[in-house]
Amino acid sequence: KTQTVLGSNFGIHPKKPFQLDTEYCDISNAFRTASVSNFGTVTSGTTTEQRAAMVFAQEIKTSIAIFFNGYNLLGIQEDLEQRTVSIPDDQKPSCYVGGVSFKGHHGFEGTEAYYGPFELIHANNLANTTQQTGAFNIDVEQVLSWDPEFIFLDFNGMKLINEDYQAHPDFYEALTAVQEGKVYSQISFRSSASNLETALADAYYAACIMFPQQFQDIDPVEKAGEIFTMLLGSNPYDDLKGAGYE
């Protein structure tokens, strides 16, 4: 089904692997990223929470490395790498992800530096230009100042984002991405366990949107099914569709 997001002008592009009803979203802060080479450097100003996040990120990276070896998924990461690593920085559109969950639901202000799906495709994630590491709340006026070319929304935060749109439509409609219909969905990949298969599918979908030339041979729905089958042993697309994804 097609779901209108944030009013008539703030819509999710119809070409997406899934559409998610917010009631089916799970919340967790478990998964960070599969490919961050430098999650952060410990300094005298590093907080205890940041230190714990860095250690956890390394543990996740180690676990994912084992997953890749065990399920032959290294080829998927290499495919993403080879398609995007050589794209010049000045040819990468700027992007922002909102609605990211951490310690509960967050609205448009909930974003993430070194967001896993973006890191896998070397995207120009504007949150990486801050001094933050991981998920955090940003001043939305900064997002307006950045005016990202593409906006991706994690459906964990869609209820709050829609509510805020109703209260502050002028803010959202001032964003170029909203005006040009370049607002897209990301399936939440954080649950009670790390949903690696979903994060990888999100990476391919975002790449198909932002780097169409490099991914012109990829159908994100088919690629998601391939990844799900490889990791889960079957493709749950029809079940997900029946549960509200489309």
Side-chain angles (χ1 to χ4, degrees), residues 157-171:
M158 280 311 306
K159 182 176 184 295
L160 291 174
I161 294 171
N162 277 309
E163 289 174 353
D164 192 55
Y165 175 83
Q166 297 301 320
H168 307 100
D170 291 344
F171 165 79

Side-chain angles (χ1 to χ4, degrees), residues 92-152:
K92 296 177 181 178
S94 60
C95 58
Y96 173 81
V97 61
V100 175
S101 290
F102 58 100
K103 298 181 179 178
H105 289 289
H106 292 266
F108 190 70
E109 74 282 357
T111 191
E112 185 166 346
Y114 308 105
Y115 177 68
F118 287 173
E119 288 299 295
L120 286 165
I121 60 174
H122 300 278
N124 179 17
N125 179 8
L126 293 171
N128 291 2
T129 65
T130 69
Q131 299 301 310
Q132 299 290 335
T133 299
F136 66 101
N137 280 333
I138 195 168
D139 182 343
V140 294
E141 291 300 322
Q142 178 61 67
V143 182
L144 187 60
S145 176
W146 280 335
D147 199 18
E149 294 174 69
F150 290 90
I151 293 174
F152 291 84

